[in-house]
Amino acid sequence: MEQREKREGWHSGLGFILAAAGSAIGLGNIWRFPYITGQHGGGAFVLIYLLCVALIGLPVMLCEIALGRHTGRNPVGAFRRLNPDSCRLAHLFGAGMTLCGLLALFMRSWGWGGLFILIGVLIFKYRWTLVGVMGVVAGFVILSFYSVVAGWTIGYVFKAATGQLAFETVDVAKESFGAFITHPGWAILCHFLFMALCVAVVCRGIQGGIEKVSKVLMPLLFMILLALIVRGLTLPGAMAGVRYYLSPNFKLITPQCILVAVGLAFFSLSLGMGAMITYGSYVAKEQNLFKSAMAIVGLDVLVAFLAGLAIFPAVFALGFQPDQGSGLAFQALPAVFHHMPLGAAWAFLFFLLLLVAALTSGISLLEVVTAYWVDERRWSRRKATLVFGGCIFALGCLCAVSVANWNHIKPVEQALATLFGGVKDSFFVTMETMADWMLALGGLLIALFVGWVWGVRRAVDEIRQGSDNFADVHLWSVMAGLKDDPSHNSDMHVFTLASLWGVFVRFICPVAIVIAFLNTIGWLELKGPEAKPAAVEQVADEPVADESASAIRNESHESM
Ligand code: PHE
């Protein structure tokens, strides 16, 4: 039984691309990307985001898919298979961690000290397999809060369908949203429904579950998105929204912006925790990995871009403020839709869109955890999804009831405060911050592993299967129009896609991620001039939401 399931693969290449794009396209695209773009200089930020996606996202995506297909395993199994018996780089990390731990203990920070030393020792023992373990744990952590937010979308789909989203002003919408998400009963019920949907799909396996659902939901997502765009753009006054969203304002491009773009690219492309390793493990050898990675990245960027086009024209046409930060989706848009003809129907479609996007991402997060128990622990898929879906639901309940504060889970707060010297954010935000760190660290370690430990040469051998052009077409020759000239395709010319990718994986990606990572953990505050979008100044008097805070973080603060 498990044997067969382990070997299961995607039915078709398109199925893989749609499922992987489904994982990538989620709340990150439809919710975070539009408002962050609006706040960071519109078209100029889009350009920078595209560069980050192409220069960091695409190479790391290819690393993950190649690792997955080569090993045919979940992230833990993949790293375990390729783990060298001894590795200087791993020992260096282990020693560094242990040293940090000792230092922390010396400074009487018992929780951090203990944690670092434990990680240091584990690195010595398990080396790179630990990166896979971290991916599975990240899947667990991310899904537990992602599912809470996705649960809100279920609630809002229901509310829209029953005409409960009729808000005259954003303030009324805000109040209603705050009451909804801080009501433990509703929050937990919606979270449960979302987890149940994920479990039902993942339980049915790769072809019968994930692939089948993705093939229906992804076209549906595009159709809803297009309908919303046409509706928004045909409203009188919509062009002001397009201008706000896309007019490039290079004055707003600061170092901070670039780092925001890197972080967004990682989250949005589902990179850094092995989701793409897991999905890659079900890919056939004939499939062209390079083209697939390009298609997944392309679709992800396209949806992010289109989501902005669906939202801003409508917001402007109806005279609302665009600078709501993350509140845009749940607070401003219901009020915007209410003022449109057939508003309830458009609100219903929008929240359905969010739900569809979140569902295909939630599925991939649960699949990472499931694949580990199926591959490594020989559990049946059904048992693994039910047990871990249940565990994630339980952890998510803590998030759901602690969106605003720790009141419902005081003992957890006290335990954390004793160990780590105080907690400043809600449990929800703490989990989200932890996920941010894990993704950045995971992405860095995956690039380092492929670039320096597994080796670019072996990775390229894997990618070459099914995409022979990857290593053998000489880019200079193609660009110069000398593609078919034999002398220009000799070994003398070594500028191929593969060599370009190798340089990125070994040097450019790790360095860029380290910079973004240091920024995430607050050790490097690359500050530019205080940015306030010019467009916002023209149209709004209210302050711009803190752009560095992530979507969910803002959401929970606003609701407090
Ligand atoms: N990419 C998803 C989004 O944009 C989130 C996600 C992150 C999914 C990591 C899987 C893994 O919403």
Side-chain angles (χ1 to χ4, degrees), residues 184-419:
W186 279 118
I188 289 178
L189 176 69
C190 292
H191 161 57
F192 172 79
L193 289 177
F194 183 79
M195 278 312 297
L197 282 175
C198 290
V199 168
V201 175
V202 175
C203 217
R204 289 185 167 72
I206 302 306
Q207 287 189 14
I210 302 177
E211 186 167 357
K212 215 169 173 181
V213 166
S214 305
K215 276 185 171 163
V216 177
L217 291 188
M218 293 315 284
L220 177 71
L221 182 136
F222 270 96
M223 271 160 20
I224 301 179
L225 197 53
L226 288 182
L228 284 165
I229 292 173
V230 171
R231 170 70 281 199
L233 287 178
T234 49
L235 288 166
M239 275 308 138
V242 179
R243 241 173 283 132
Y244 169 76
Y245 178 44
L246 290 179
S247 56
N249 184 349
F250 287 96
K251 270 194 250 124
L252 294 175
I253 296 302
T254 58
Q256 184 73 32
C257 262
I258 298 168
L259 300 172
V260 170
V262 174
L264 190 64
F266 258 85
F267 185 82
S268 173
L269 290 169
S270 303
L271 293 177
M273 47 81 62
M276 292 299 159
I277 297 183
T278 311
Y279 274 18
S281 72
Y282 304 117
V283 173
K285 288 284 181 197
E286 309 78 60
Q287 175 109 356
N288 187 324
L289 294 191
F290 181 62
K291 281 192 186 154
S292 307
M294 295 238 288
I296 297 163
V297 169
L299 285 173
D300 186 69
V301 170
L302 182 69
V303 169
F305 178 73
L306 291 181
L309 269 191
I311 292 172
F312 287 112
V315 170
F316 271 79
L318 292 156
F320 284 87
Q321 309 295 358
D323 60 336
Q324 306 285 333
S326 61
L328 197 62
F330 288 98
Q331 297 165 3
L333 285 183
V336 170
F337 290 130
H338 176 62
H339 290 274
M340 273 185 194
L342 288 178
W346 291 110
F348 175 78
L349 277 186
F350 176 77
F351 287 106
L352 192 65
L353 172 77
L354 262 187
L355 176 60
V356 166
L359 184 60
T360 47
S361 300
I363 289 169
S364 72
L365 287 161
L366 185 59
E367 174 59 24
V368 173
V369 181
T370 303
Y372 166 71
W373 292 88
V374 171
D375 287 350
E376 307 298 308
R377 304 285 168 138
R378 306 254 182 274
W379 283 28
S380 75
R381 173 169 281 275
R382 201 184 152 80
K383 181 173 158 196
T385 35
L386 281 174
V387 170
F388 288 96
C391 293
I392 294 170
F393 168 70
L395 190 63
C397 283
L398 296 186
C399 292
V401 298
S402 57
V403 167
N405 53 48
W406 295 77
N407 286 349
H408 296 279
I409 44 172
K410 277 278 174 223
V412 183
E413 183 188 18
Q414 266 151 18
L416 287 179
T418 320
L419 281 174

Side-chain angles (χ1 to χ4, degrees), residues 26 71 121 166 178 339 348 384 428 433-434 441 461 464 517:
T71 55
V121 172
H339 290 274
F348 175 78
F428 189 91
T433 313
M434 220 164 96
L441 189 61
D461 278 345
R464 208 185 227 134
F517 181 58

